[in-house]
């Protein structure tokens, strides 16, 4: 075929609709016939009184009685009723005909006939209903078999969906932030378009390309772009579409998939989430003969077995390459493994520009600023920020999306939605302000840490407040000095609570901070080799539950002595970080109080305001809207419940838990 797709089949859906139409026509014809046959043009409906009078006048020649009450008859002489001369009549008896009525009719010489009731349209429909159901089921199964969709007759048919003209076309112009992956895939497309260019030097068509990367980085989008650029038949399906409860179905679908590909070669087959079918063999608890392993074995044979599959390129995507079977990853099956990693700052800006093409932007929008403020976000997160900004602008009845909409959307995606319904007492609000001020002040006083981007006591997500830091540039490695500074910053909130309110007034708000600090310190000792006592070795945890695709077990990594040494070193690092934070705050209590008061007044402080407070300078007045909001917040009575603070992804204060926690 010119388009590389399977030939068009007979549309049995249209045939079945036509049969239903003609069946309805037949039923209506039967009903119409009954109406015509049961009513003559010269027959009128009369009352029982007229019937009894004409019977007494000896003017009735014959009657037909149906169901004991419905009487149709003929007059001897025409009778004028309502201006119509009628020779035939019908009447409904008030009660079923009695012996007295029969005697009256016989005494007048009337010919009497008894008839069975005529079948109604409902009765006819009930008689035809079983045949209609059988014919409908036959048409349904026949249609499904033709389309390969009915599992009762087509278990082994693959569920691969061909790319059609109705599918929205995606090209490489719609993909950004992964230039290296685009180059590798562009070469595949050129190979499909002009194989002689590569084969003249002895090159062969790659058999498989594996896209590896974290969720949301654009692996499936890249595959759709390949489909849009290649101009060749393209079939896509998910790894979970192979395996079902029936034995042998997965292997049969793999064979059918590659048979379809060979029939339309050269073509591309895309399998999303291939780890659903490509996990390590031998990992199942039920032995090595389960359905998934049979499916994987068939996939291995089809990709590189005795029979060649020239012209069929398999593109697969996964975010779990560690669980894939080694036989699946070797050259000859997946010749290329393309890493689609998190985008850098230039990639994030390019992704934002791709998604922002569909929305009207105001003149003050700077996507480069948004890109620098979103480190660690994947392409899906950035697309969500652009979409949220457009929704916010529409909600605010704006004609264009401005920078404030992007800032609010970024905060919503990265920090969580504002919890305006959550209220705190003034005491809780004041405690949260000092907690977040402690985080921020320790971060400012320790050199080398990421600048504090925002401090807020407006609740977001699950926390009551947040101190959010942003790096000035993307980090790929972290120094020991930086990690120790982060540990001290993590304890800044707890130390501030203790210094201002006393040891007995500390709260559960530091639970997440302590958990993150403990995890970071343990990784320093056990993975990063940043402990002089333990040394530069990876000792692992004391006990682990392991699932590597081959086994599920629990094993001991280190001796008891080494485990005790690791625990002692982790505790020492955390105590040093706690004391470092305490020394910073004890020596700068005035700045801590000023920052907390500013948070209580303004609720949110940005980087410039934090730096002014840390330098001992006065804060400038805010814009009218912000000043009004701050004045309104400050004017509330102290005993009144106030709107609570925010939360974020870095250091936040989670809401207080019940007493039993």
């Amino acid at each position: 075929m010119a388009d590389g797709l399977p030939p068009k089949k007979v549309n049995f859906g249209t045939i079945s609709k036509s049969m239903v139409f003609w069946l309805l026509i037949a039923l209506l014809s039967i009903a119409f016939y009954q109406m015509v046959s049961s009513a003559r043009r010269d027959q009128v409906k009369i009352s029982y009184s007229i019937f009894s009078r004409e019977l007494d006048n000896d003017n009735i020649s014959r009657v037909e009685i149906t169901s004991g009450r419905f009487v149709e008859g003929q007059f001897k002489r025409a009778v004028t009723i309502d201006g119509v001369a009628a020779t035939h009549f019908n009447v409904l008896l008030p009660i079923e005909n009695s012996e007295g009525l029969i005697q009256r009719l016989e005494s007048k010489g009337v010919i009497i006939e008894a008839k069975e009731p005529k079948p109604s349209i409902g009765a006819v429909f009930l008689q035809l209903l079983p045949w209609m159901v059988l014919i409908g089921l036959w048409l349904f199964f026949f249609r499904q078999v033709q389309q390969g969709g009915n599992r009762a007759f087509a278990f082994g048919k693959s569920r691969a969906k061909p790319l059609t003209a109705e599918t929205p076309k995606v090209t490489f112009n719609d993909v950004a932030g992964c230039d290296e992956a685009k180059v590798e895939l562009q070469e595949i497309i050129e190979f499909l378009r002009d194989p002689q260019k590569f084969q003249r030097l002895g090159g062969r068509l790659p058999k498989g390309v594996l896209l590896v990367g974290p969720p949301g980085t654009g692996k499936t989008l890249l595959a759709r772009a390949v489909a849009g650029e290649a101009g060749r038949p393209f079939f896509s399906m998910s790894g979970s579409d192979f395996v079902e409860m029936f034995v042998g179905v997965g292997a049969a679908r793999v064979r059918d998939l590659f048979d379809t590909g060979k029939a339309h070669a050269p073509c591309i087959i895309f399998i999303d989430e291939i780890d659903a079918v490509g996990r390590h063999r031998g990992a199942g608890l039920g032995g090595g003969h389960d359905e998934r392993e049979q499916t994987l074995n068939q996939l291995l044979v089809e990709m590189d077995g005795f029979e060649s599959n020239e012209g069929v390129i398999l593109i697969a995507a996964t975010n779990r390459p560690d669980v894939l079977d080694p036989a699946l990853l070797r050259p000859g099956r997946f010749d290329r493994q393309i890493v689609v990693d998190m985008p850098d700052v230039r990639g994030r800006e390019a992704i934002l520009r791709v998604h922002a093409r569909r929305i009207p932007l105001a003149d003050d929008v700077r996507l480069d600023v948004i890109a620098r403020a979103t480190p660690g976000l994947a392409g899906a997160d950035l697309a969500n920020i652009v979409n949220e900004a457009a929704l916010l602008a529409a909600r605010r009845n704006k004609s264009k999306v401005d920078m404030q909409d992007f800032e609010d959307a970024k905060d919503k995606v990265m920090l969580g939605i504002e919890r305006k319904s959550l209220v705190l007492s003034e005491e809780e609000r004041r405690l949260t302000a000092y907690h977040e001020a402690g985080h921020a002040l320790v971060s400012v006083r320790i050199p080398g840490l990421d600048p504090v981007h925002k401090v807020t006591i407006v609740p977001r997500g699950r926390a009551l407040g947040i101190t959010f830091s942003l790096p000035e540039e993307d980090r790929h490695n972290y120094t020991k000095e930086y990690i120790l500074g982060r540990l001290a910053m993590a304890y800044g909130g707890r130390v501030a609570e203790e210094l201002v309110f006393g040891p007995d007034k500390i709260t559960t708000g530091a639970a997440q901070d302590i958990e993150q600090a403990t995890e970071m310190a343990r990784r320093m000792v056990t993975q990063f080799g940043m402990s002089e006592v333990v040394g530069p070795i990876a000792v692992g945890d004391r006990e682990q539950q392991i699932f590597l695709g081959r086994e599920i077990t629990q094993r001991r990594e280190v001796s008891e002595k080494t485990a005790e040494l690791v625990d002692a070193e982790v505790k020492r690092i955390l105590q040093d970080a706690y004391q470092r934070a305490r020394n910073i705050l004890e020596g700068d209590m005035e700045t801590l109080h000023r920052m907390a008061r500013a948070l209580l007044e303004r609720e949110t402080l940005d980087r410039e305001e934090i730096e002014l407070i840390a330098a001992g300078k006065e804060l400038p007045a805010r814009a009218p809207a912000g000043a009004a909001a701050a004045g309104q917040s400050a004017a509330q009575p102290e005993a009144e419940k106030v709107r609570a603070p925010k939360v974020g992804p870095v250091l936040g204060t989670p809401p207080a838990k019940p007493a039993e926690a």
Side-chain angles (χ1 to χ4, degrees), residues 101-178:
L101 178 61
I102 299 298
Q103 291 177 359
R104 288 179 63 191
L105 291 172
E106 290 178 344
S107 65
K108 298 296 183 180
V110 178
I111 301 173
I112 303 173
E113 293 184 7
K115 295 179 61 178
E116 293 183 356
K118 298 177 180 179
S120 63
I121 183 64
V124 174
F125 180 78
L126 289 176
Q127 291 178 356
L128 295 178
L129 182 61
W131 295 100
M132 293 167 57
V133 172
L134 289 176
I135 294 174
L137 288 176
W138 181 81
L139 289 173
F140 173 76
F141 282 117
F142 193 67
R143 177 186 177 190
Q144 293 295 94
V145 169
Q146 289 293 325
Q147 294 181 350
N150 189 271
R151 298 300 164 257
F153 299 100
F155 288 114
K157 295 292 183 181
S158 71
R159 297 184 178 180
K161 304 176 184 64
L163 184 70
T164 61
E166 291 77 16
T167 305
K169 187 175 181 180
V170 178
T171 65
F172 280 149
N173 294 329
D174 302 314
V175 183
C178 46

Side-chain angles (χ1 to χ4, degrees), residues 275-296:
D275 51 276
V277 71
R279 288 176 176 264
H280 283 288
R281 288 170 292 181
L285 298 177
H289 295 285
D290 63 350
E291 171 66 9
R292 183 184 54 77
E293 292 193 4
Q294 293 185 31
T295 305
L296 175 58

Side-chain angles (χ1 to χ4, degrees), residues 2 17-18 33 89 97 124 136 153 172 174 183 186 219 242 277 303-304 372 522 541 601-602 624:
K17 292 178 182 177
S18 300
Y33 173 76
F89 68 90
N97 54 9
V124 174
F153 299 100
F172 280 149
D174 302 314
V183 170
Q186 185 67 47
K219 300 182 293 295
F242 288 106
V277 71
M303 290 187 69
D304 188 22
R372 288 198 302 271
R522 182 168 293 277
D541 291 331
E601 178 186 354
R602 305 192 177 196

